[in-house]
Amino acid sequence: LWAQAYDEVATRNPELIGDFEEILLHIDLDSHSLELRDPHLRHNGDNQDRHVLLDAVIERGLRRTQAWAGRLETAGEISTTFAQVGNIIQSILSASFPQAGAAWLGISILLKGLANASEQSSNNREGIVYVGSRAGWYQALFSIGDNLQQGRLSGLRQRLEERIINLFVTIIAYQMNSVREYYRNQVAVALLNSVAIRTWEIELEKVKASEHEVVVCLEQYDRRLLQDRLSSLTATARQLESKITERFEAEKRRAEDERNRRQEEDQTRAAKLIGKFRLSGLNYDEFMDSNPDPVQGTCQWFFDDERVRRWISGSQKLLLVTAMPGQGKSVLARSLVHLWREEKRNIVCHFFFKDSNKIQKSTTMALCAILHQILRQCPFIALRAEKVITQEGEGLTESMESLWRVLEEVISHIRPERAPVLCVLDALDECDYEACQNLLRKIKGYCQVGGAQSMPELKFILTARPLDGITQRLTGVSKVSLDPKEKSDAISSDIELVIETRVKEMAPGKFWSDDLRLKIREVFREKGTQFTYLWLKLVFDLLEDERVLSDDEEWIRIITKLPPTVNEAYETLLGQIKPTMERDVRKLLSIMLCVERPLEVEEMNVALKAALSHTPAVNRIYMKDTDGFKTWINSHCGFFVQIYKNKLQLIHQTAKEFLTTANVLVPVRSSNQGRWQGSFRMDEGHRSLRNLCCRYLADRTSYWKSVEWEGSHAYPNWLHQGDETLSSLDRFIPYAISGRGYHN
């Protein structure tokens, strides 16, 4: 930049350059006086000897300047100025352009002889001092050219270079004019080409103005450079952020994939553990929902009972609800389960025992159902209890002791802050007696001792008939009875509500007037509380079968003569079966009383066909298809048999007791037992069903031998098929295979 500035001065003012070089060529650096030497060197700027001589003068001047600075070590600012001037000259020489250092050599000479410059203008001296003192600042500009950024700042860089060059031009011109002015009176006028400068204040202001322009441009450049640097840093930061984010997301995905993989593995393990307790045929929700819903508004008194309140509040863990058959204990139990399930934080489990189903009367099946429901609601507890579950081995689901240990282990892992585990066990009187006693002993022992304080509560509601074997085993346990004699007002209100609801439902179809509806409700009310919900269902079924009557008094007479007990209602209903259908219905009921599990409609249709194969009934139209068979059941024994989830079952446990030779708990008012009560013998029914299974399998085997088997080692296709893929005639095969041994 100094070189460009020197060239610019030479272009603008060649006379000034010529005078200045003449002075340097003739100066005596020791005496600071001019001596005219070889005349042929004058104004011969292109002469090689002249350049060599000028270079030698500048180098000698640099050494003199450094020497002067060394002798003025104690002179403070003056010594520093000499040193800075020397540095500038040396930097210019190292750039291989010594002419640019000539002006600074002049400043050095002037500074040395300034005190003796009596003829020097005071304003010019001020400028010389100013320029000399700024030598360090000017030197700092040397490196700017090399460090200026290219690219998008090239326009600003060019303007800054122009400002610096202009400043250097002004400085060089000022220096040369000052040197020429200093030596003007010592050299012949003919030697110098220019005129004297009288406006030193203006020249100094030019220097300062050029400096200001450089400063302004530097500030702009620095600001833009900073902005670009910040932009670059921002871009770099964004790239780094993007890379870090990408890496983070990749690591996050990897961790999430690993977490999902482990979670899937845990879910698979948990599902496998939970599946141990979901045994074939253990449809516990189906068992529960086969019971009807309560009439809306009933059972409210139950929650107002002080014993129930204590159980709900947590002060008691075990509550026994007793009731005679048909008094609504199973309906109440079902409603409790559904009510508590509405509260999502509750853990609710249940099991509804039933004597007519091998699975439903098993206490080990009940515990499997309880465990499955708890673990299904809290699946990862299965992993915590895995050790206890697996160490019991293959016989886990057949052992009451093992299942109870697993239950206690599972309960211990449920968080204490959760709501208690609510367990409803219905109709305990219908499960195996010895197993029931063992289960009651476990439950009572757990509830009396209780778990640790940090464990959640496991609370039981048990329902059963008031049998000695159950009530004595649960001595000291809080009990609530559904017997109308003990809860006369509350039960009477519920029964009246049921009567009102059923009358309201039937009235439109029977064309009952409002007055007749009131009389009917009054007749039922006069009967008192001796009847049960089951009795109400049966007598309203009887009324449903009555034809429409126009005489209100005739309706009152019929209602007055309704059978007074459940057994007599059963007898009346069964007595309405047509004689031509009685044999078929009896065979149907005999099969239902003895089967190991409830049969599906398709299975029963095949079984009944096989049982009646020696009679003309096998060709009856109702057995042609499933829909026709369902219609026949509903028409001839729908009051006694219900179809739920495509399975046949008696409407109540008392129906089985009514038909069989077993002791009937519900007393019969009439001394005449009728044609149906006690007319079925279980031993004969099992024997007949066993023969049916064997005969049926033999018939189907003969058929398959003639149609499908190709060799002595072949097997019929039904051995490899599920129930849903079997043809209609083969649907009874799976049961016949297992039932052949069960009915021995």
Side-chain angles (χ1 to χ4, degrees):
L1 296 181
W2 278 109
Q4 293 181 47
Y6 192 89
D7 290 341
E8 184 67 23
V9 173
T11 301
R12 295 181 185 177
N13 198 345
E15 293 82 3
L16 178 61
I17 291 292
D19 289 348
F20 183 73
E21 289 183 355
E22 289 295 335
I23 292 173
L24 289 185
L25 289 173
H26 295 84
I27 196 171
D28 186 336
L29 293 177
D30 293 323
S31 64
H32 292 183
S33 61
L34 295 178
E35 297 179 2
L36 189 59
R37 300 184 182 179
D38 297 332
H40 71 276
L41 295 177
R42 187 169 165 229
H43 297 302
N44 189 12
D46 294 331
N47 190 282
Q48 184 66 29
D49 292 338
R50 180 184 179 88
H51 281 293
V52 172
L53 181 60
L54 189 60
D55 292 346
V57 171
I58 293 172
E59 290 179 2
R60 190 168 64 252
L62 174 61
R63 289 194 295 273
R64 294 286 187 181
T65 299
Q66 292 172 341
W68 295 334
R71 290 197 295 270
L72 294 173
E73 290 180 355
T74 59
E77 290 81 358
I78 297 178
S79 175
T80 302
T81 301
F82 270 112
Q84 291 175 347
V85 171
N87 291 337
I88 290 178
I89 298 173
Q90 189 170 24
S91 298
I92 294 174
L93 291 177
S94 64
S96 301
F97 201 90
Q99 290 85 347
W104 284 100
L105 177 59
I107 286 293
S108 175
I109 295 171
L110 291 177
L111 287 173
K112 178 66 172 64
L114 197 58
N116 301 322
S118 58
E119 298 182 6
Q120 189 77 6
S121 167
S122 61
N123 291 331
N124 183 222
R125 280 200 302 270
E126 180 183 348
I128 293 170
V129 171
Y130 177 82
V131 172
S133 64
R134 301 282 286 176
W137 190 80
Y138 300 144
Q139 184 185 11
L141 296 178
F142 286 177
S143 59
I144 289 179
D146 295 333
N147 296 326
L148 290 178
Q149 298 291 326
Q150 300 292 337
R152 57 187 302 271
L153 292 179
S154 58
L156 188 57
R157 173 181 181 274
Q158 183 177 356
R159 290 197 299 273
L160 179 57
E161 286 184 351
E162 290 173 355
R163 299 298 187 277
I164 294 175
I165 291 172
N166 185 61
L167 171 62
F168 288 173
V169 166
T170 307
I171 293 172
I172 290 173
Y174 189 91
Q175 292 170 339
M176 288 184 176
N177 280 317
S178 297
V179 171
R180 188 176 64 175
E181 185 68 19
Y182 181 79
Y183 288 105
R184 188 171 187 81
N185 297 325
Q186 299 184 36
V187 68
V189 175
L191 180 65
L192 302 180
N193 300 310
S194 319
V195 297
I197 295 179
R198 302 299 181 184
T199 56
W200 292 108
E201 297 91 339
I202 296 175
E203 296 300 316
L204 181 59
E205 287 303 320
K206 289 181 181 179
V207 173
K208 292 181 178 180
S210 296
E211 288 182 359
H212 179 71
E213 290 179 358
V214 170
V215 170
V216 171
C217 199
L218 274 174
E219 289 176 351
Q220 294 176 353
Y221 182 82
D222 288 343
R223 187 161 53 249
R224 289 289 302 277
L225 189 63
L226 179 60
Q227 290 175 352
D228 276 20
R229 180 59 177 164
L230 290 176
S231 298
S232 176
L233 290 174
T234 301
T236 302
R238 286 175 179 170
Q239 292 177 357
L240 183 60
E241 178 186 9
S242 177
K243 291 181 180 179
I244 293 175
T245 301
E246 183 179 348
R247 182 63 180 271
F248 174 78
E249 291 297 328
E251 183 63 22
K252 182 180 177 182
R253 288 193 298 271
R254 188 200 64 78
E256 186 174 350
D257 290 343
E258 178 65 18
R259 183 167 59 254
N260 290 338
R261 184 188 64 79
R262 292 181 180 178
Q263 187 174 1
E264 289 177 1
E265 290 179 353
D266 289 344
Q267 288 174 344
T268 301
R269 284 171 51 215
K272 186 176 181 180
L273 292 169
I274 297 172
K276 289 179 176 289
F277 305 104
R278 184 65 172 188
L279 304 181
S280 177
L282 186 56
N283 305 315
Y284 45 79
D285 279 340
E286 183 179 311
F287 300 159
M288 174 184 68
D289 290 332
S290 64
N291 295 286
D293 290 321
V295 172
Q296 188 174 5
T298 60
C299 303
Q300 295 302 314
W301 63 268
F302 180 79
F303 297 99
D304 296 330
D305 190 285
E306 184 60 31
R307 291 160 294 186
V308 178
R309 288 179 178 273
R310 287 197 300 269
W311 184 86
I312 292 176
S313 66
S315 58
Q316 294 182 352
K317 294 184 178 181
L318 178 58
L319 181 66
L320 175 63
V321 178
T322 60
M324 294 299 288
Q327 290 182 339
K329 57 183 180 296
S330 295
V331 174
L332 173 64
R334 180 183 187 273
S335 67
L336 292 177
V337 172
H338 284 285
L339 176 65
W340 290 329
R341 277 180 173 176
E342 293 177 0
E343 180 61 49
K344 299 302 183 183
R345 65 189 297 266
N346 287 338
I347 301 175
V348 184
C349 54
H350 64 84
F351 192 78
F352 284 63
F353 290 98
K354 200 174 188 67
D355 177 59
S356 60
N357 187 340
K358 180 182 178 181
I359 293 176
Q360 273 189 267
K361 64 182 179 182
S362 168
T363 54
T364 54
M365 285 292 185
L367 288 178
C368 286
I370 291 170
L371 283 166
H372 188 266
Q373 291 171 80
I374 295 174
L375 294 175
R376 191 179 62 177
Q377 295 171 75
C378 308
F380 285 100
I381 291 179
L383 299 178
R384 299 172 189 166
E386 182 176 15
K387 182 178 179 181
V388 176
I389 294 174
T390 55
Q391 72 183 8
E392 298 296 341
E394 296 296 328
L396 169 63
T397 57
E398 299 175 0
S399 169
M400 166 77 74
E401 298 297 327
S402 298
L403 290 169
W404 190 263
R405 280 195 296 271
V406 172
L407 178 61
E408 289 184 326
E409 179 70 15
V410 166
I411 294 298
S412 71
H413 289 292
I414 297 177
R415 297 193 306 271
E417 64 270 17
R418 286 205 59 160
V421 180
L422 307 177
C423 182
V424 177
L425 298 179
D426 177 63
L428 278 162
D429 53 282
E430 296 191 39
C431 69
D432 296 326
Y433 179 79
E434 291 299 330
C436 178
Q437 294 296 305
N438 190 16
L439 178 61
L440 292 176
R441 186 164 48 251
K442 295 285 187 186
I443 292 174
K444 185 178 180 181
Y446 178 87
C447 292
Q448 285 180 339
V449 176
Q453 290 298 320
S454 60
M455 290 174 57
E457 292 182 304
L458 172 59
K459 304 171 70 173
F460 292 90
I461 279 188
L462 314 178
T463 74
R465 300 183 191 186
L467 303 179
D468 291 342
I470 293 175
T471 56
Q472 291 176 3
R473 172 62 64 184
L474 297 178
T475 301
V477 173
S478 183
K479 301 178 180 65
V480 175
S481 174
L482 303 185
D483 190 340
K485 296 177 182 178
E486 297 188 24
K487 287 284 184 180
S488 178
D489 293 339
I491 299 295
S492 296
S493 297
D494 280 2
I495 289 176
E496 288 185 10
L497 185 57
V498 172
I499 294 171
E500 183 177 354
T501 301
R502 291 292 284 126
V503 170
K504 184 177 180 180
E505 291 173 351
M506 290 184 61
K510 299 298 184 182
F511 300 101
W512 290 345
S513 65
D514 291 342
D515 290 340
L516 179 57
R517 288 167 57 184
L518 291 174
K519 289 179 181 179
I520 292 173
R521 288 201 296 269
E522 185 61 30
V523 170
F524 276 108
R525 189 178 295 111
E526 290 175 355
K527 289 181 176 291
T529 59
Q530 78 276 14
F531 45 70
T532 63
Y533 298 109
L534 175 60
W535 180 84
L536 286 174
K537 178 190 181 309
L538 295 176
V539 296
F540 275 106
D541 285 346
L542 285 170
L543 292 176
E544 284 277 11
D545 291 337
E546 289 289 344
R547 69 185 188 280
V548 177
L549 302 174
S550 58
D551 187 358
D552 289 357
E553 293 301 324
E554 183 68 14
W555 276 115
I556 299 299
R557 185 186 64 78
I558 291 174
I559 293 172
T560 303
K561 292 184 178 181
L562 286 172
T565 66
V566 169
N567 281 357
E568 290 179 84
Y570 283 148
E571 193 68 51
T572 302
L573 287 166
L574 291 170
Q576 295 178 352
I577 296 175
K578 295 178 181 180
T580 55
M581 288 290 116
E582 182 173 335
R583 182 182 183 87
D584 297 3
V585 172
R586 281 188 175 272
K587 180 56 67 175
L588 173 74
L589 295 177
S590 176
I591 294 173
M592 290 183 64
L593 289 170
C594 297
V595 286
E596 181 180 7
R597 58 168 175 79
L599 296 182
E600 295 182 354
V601 174
E602 294 81 3
E603 292 177 306
M604 180 60 81
N605 194 8
V606 175
L608 190 58
K609 281 181 182 179
L612 299 174
S613 59
H614 59 288
T615 69
V618 72
N619 295 319
R620 289 180 179 172
I621 191 65
Y622 73 82
M623 291 184 178
K624 295 297 183 182
D625 56 51
T626 300
D627 290 338
F629 187 53
K630 285 182 178 179
T631 301
W632 178 82
I633 292 173
N634 291 327
S635 299
H636 295 281
C637 49
F639 52 85
F640 210 77
V641 175
Q642 66 178 1
I643 300 174
Y644 181 76
K645 297 289 186 180
N646 201 43
K647 296 177 182 177
L648 278 70
Q649 58 187 26
L650 299 175
I651 62 168
H652 198 268
Q653 175 64 14
T654 56
K656 178 180 179 179
E657 296 168 353
F658 170 80
L659 294 173
T660 62
T661 56
N663 292 329
V664 180
L665 294 176
V666 181
V668 181
R669 290 178 180 270
S670 174
S671 59
N672 181 15
Q673 288 198 134
R675 294 185 303 107
W676 289 89
Q677 183 177 358
S679 62
F680 290 81
R681 294 182 58 86
M682 295 297 291
D683 54 349
E684 293 179 358
H686 280 293
R687 184 165 54 252
S688 175
L689 194 49
R690 179 182 180 279
N691 293 335
L692 170 63
C693 291
C694 293
R695 186 172 66 252
Y696 172 77
L697 289 175
D699 290 344
R700 296 312 296 164
T701 301
S702 297
Y703 170 78
W704 281 101
K705 280 183 178 180
S706 64
V707 176
E708 292 287 338
W709 293 8
E710 298 177 353
S712 59
H713 299 291
Y715 296 95
N717 289 345
W718 46 261
L719 289 178
H720 308 287
Q721 294 176 321
D723 291 354
E724 68 281 356
T725 61
L726 293 172
S727 67
S728 58
L729 291 177
D730 293 333
R731 290 301 297 272
F732 190 60
I733 288 176
Y735 182 87
I737 294 174
S738 62
R740 185 175 51 179
Y742 175 76
H743 298 294
N744 275 333

